[in-house]
Amino acid sequence: MIDGPYFVLAVLGALACGLAAGVFCAFSTFVMKGLAALPPAQGIAAMNRINVTAVTPAFMAVFLGAAGLCAVLAVVTFVLWPDEGTVELLLGCALYLVGSFGVTIAANIPRNEALSKVDPESAEGAEYWRTYVSEWTAWNHVRGVASLGATASFILALT
């Protein structure tokens, strides 16, 4: 069984990825649906405010903290190559780093930046909003599933 500081890293990784999964789940299951039900100009304005206020120390500590923990866990796992849990730890790290952190950078953030540039009152803005909600939410599902998968992998490594 994994023990010592390595155990603590794996537990913290599981908790951080699980917390991130919860945030992504909330957005996928009700936040985006609520925003999509608003008139486009209001939905765009609300989402733009959310995107600005999301960059807070609390959320960034969870989101970037999980990525940092996964990076450290991956390196430590490669260096120590434990007898048990290696595959699960590396899978968990990859799921979060690629499926959550990577998808955020490659898919969600570019859409957020594009949304911040549209005129919420224009026909083009309303059209982009419909596309944005659909695409952003689909990629958010990926982030949520990847984060939950990472959590499960870390838990399996600890058992």
Side-chain angles (χ1 to χ4, degrees):
M1 177 173 208
I2 299 169
D3 60 0
Y6 196 34
F7 176 83
V8 173
L9 280 175
V11 168
L12 290 174
L15 292 172
C17 290
L19 189 54
V23 171
F24 298 141
C25 179
F27 265 83
S28 285
T29 58
F30 60 87
V31 173
M32 293 307 291
K33 289 179 183 186
L35 294 175
L38 294 171
Q42 291 177 3
I44 291 168
M47 189 65 187
N48 281 334
R49 290 306 315 149
I50 288 170
N51 289 334
V52 168
T53 59
V55 186
T56 62
F59 178 70
M60 297 313 284
V62 171
F63 181 68
L64 296 176
L69 283 165
C70 287
V72 169
L73 270 169
V75 169
V76 170
T77 301
F78 274 116
V79 170
L80 296 179
W81 206 263
D83 293 333
E84 296 177 14
T86 302
V87 171
E88 293 87 350
L89 288 169
L90 293 176
L91 178 61
C93 293
L95 281 168
Y96 190 82
L97 290 171
V98 175
S100 181
F101 188 75
V103 165
T104 298
I105 291 169
N108 294 90
I109 290 175
R111 284 169 175 77
N112 293 345
E113 290 172 351
L115 185 68
S116 73
K117 294 176 181 148
V118 303
D119 176 2
E121 301 294 335
S122 70
E124 294 81 17
E127 180 62 33
Y128 183 71
W129 174 243
R130 285 186 287 280
T131 301
Y132 173 90
V133 168
S134 174
E135 292 177 354
W136 191 97
T137 303
W139 284 112
N140 192 63
H141 292 343
V142 172
R143 298 189 305 172
V145 170
S147 297
L148 187 60
T151 302
S153 292
F154 292 143
I155 291 170
L156 289 173
L158 293 167
T159 58

